[in-house]
Amino acid sequence: MTSMAIENLATADWSDDIERLSGEHPREIIRWAVETFASRLTMATAFGPEGCAIIHMLAEIGTPVRVFNLDTGYQFAETLALRDQIAERYGIEVELVQPDTTVSDYEAQHGGPLYVTNSNQCCFDRKIVPLRRAVVGYDAWISSIRADQSSHRARATVIGWDPKFNLVKINPLLNWTQRDVWAFVVANKVPYNPLHDQGYPSIGCWPCTRVVAAGETDERAGRWVGQAKTECGLHSLDSSQL
Ligand code: SF4
């Protein structure tokens, strides 16, 4: 099935492709996505090891795919520096997609940082709204989620319909473990965020990310500490996570 032949992406039946691709290497799932959706395929990355591994595979495949980062204004300097390393290594310029307002204007509008008082609204304004704008005109997006990251993510399939953004969602790393990802990163010398070596297994915006204590097994334990929130709303299936 090619992108041109898809009359209704929302109801397209991907079951044969899912069955065929679920046991394949992520590179083959990405290759299928590139061949199927061509220039109407895009990818968002927060520069985690999963995203960097996918960028490496995209570079191996060689077909240009637009990759973007949701630059909330609250990212770590190390995260933004990784964008430059990726450009140098792969020649892939990750586009920075930014909200309408600067951090200082946004905080002034809300009487202070909203990540303290209403992190869901902050994620909505600074991630979800820019993302919705960024994917207009695209049919499909590649995500970096793994099934073993959370119960929400475990419900995904390798290919699925994403009603939140009206896109076909490709999850090439769904069946990889964290160990699989790091083995790939190390074996291929994929650039990664140095904060991972300083106790941050999962890295988002600096105000909402902390070092994970020894003994904590949940790799996302350092995100939105003290809140019920576990997702920013990009990949959750539960709208309350917005
Ligand atoms: S992760 Fe934190 S700082 Fe970043 S957009 Fe969400 S609430 Fe705001």
Side-chain angles (χ1 to χ4, degrees), residues 72 74 115 119 122-123 126-127 205 207-208 224:
T72 60
Y74 291 113
Y115 57 75
S119 58
C122 185
C123 278
R126 304 198 73 80
K127 291 186 178 180
C205 297
C208 303
W224 299 286

Side-chain angles (χ1 to χ4, degrees), residues 10-192:
T11 56
D13 180 7
W14 303 106
S15 52
D16 288 349
D17 298 292
I18 291 171
E19 189 177 342
R20 185 171 51 81
L21 291 168
S22 288
E24 293 284 349
H25 190 280
R27 187 187 301 104
E28 298 315 308
I29 300 171
I30 296 167
R31 193 187 307 280
W32 171 87
V34 168
E35 291 171 354
T36 302
F37 297 103
S39 62
R40 297 177 75 83
L41 175 69
T42 187
M43 172 186 170
T45 183
F47 297 110
E50 291 83 5
C52 295
I54 291 173
I55 289 171
H56 180 97
M57 293 180 213
L58 282 171
E60 288 178 325
I61 293 167
T63 305
V65 171
R66 176 217 188 196
V67 183
F68 64 91
N69 164 262
L70 295 170
D71 185 20
T72 60
Y74 291 113
Q75 294 191 102
F76 288 95
E78 290 86 345
T79 304
L80 293 170
L82 186 51
R83 175 180 177 271
D84 297 334
Q85 291 173 44
I86 284 172
E88 194 173 321
R89 168 81 184 269
Y90 301 113
I92 293 175
E93 297 272 350
V94 177
E95 177 186 337
L96 295 178
V97 169
Q98 289 156 335
D100 283 338
T101 51
T102 63
V103 163
S104 55
D105 286 350
Y106 187 67
E107 294 187 358
Q109 281 171 14
H110 293 283
L114 214 54
Y115 57 75
V116 174
T117 53
N118 190 346
S119 58
N120 282 346
Q121 188 65 47
C122 185
C123 278
F124 184 79
D125 294 339
R126 304 198 73 80
K127 291 186 178 180
I128 305 298
V129 172
L131 173 58
R132 284 196 176 134
R133 220 170 25 223
V135 299
V136 170
Y138 286 85
D139 286 344
W141 68 318
I142 301 172
S143 96
S144 309
I145 64 168
R146 304 192 330 266
D148 66 353
Q149 285 172 311
S150 70
S151 55
H152 286 288
R153 297 181 180 198
R155 287 154 52 196
T157 51
V158 169
I159 307 162
W161 178 245
D162 184 340
K164 192 177 289 180
F165 300 107
N166 287 328
L167 294 168
V168 177
K169 189 170 185 178
I170 321 295
N171 302 309
L173 300 181
L174 193 69
N175 297 319
W176 267 17
T177 63
Q178 186 182 31
R179 183 183 291 266
D180 292 331
V181 172
W182 279 108
F184 183 89
V185 166
V186 170
N188 293 283
K189 297 186 170 54
V190 176
Y192 66 89

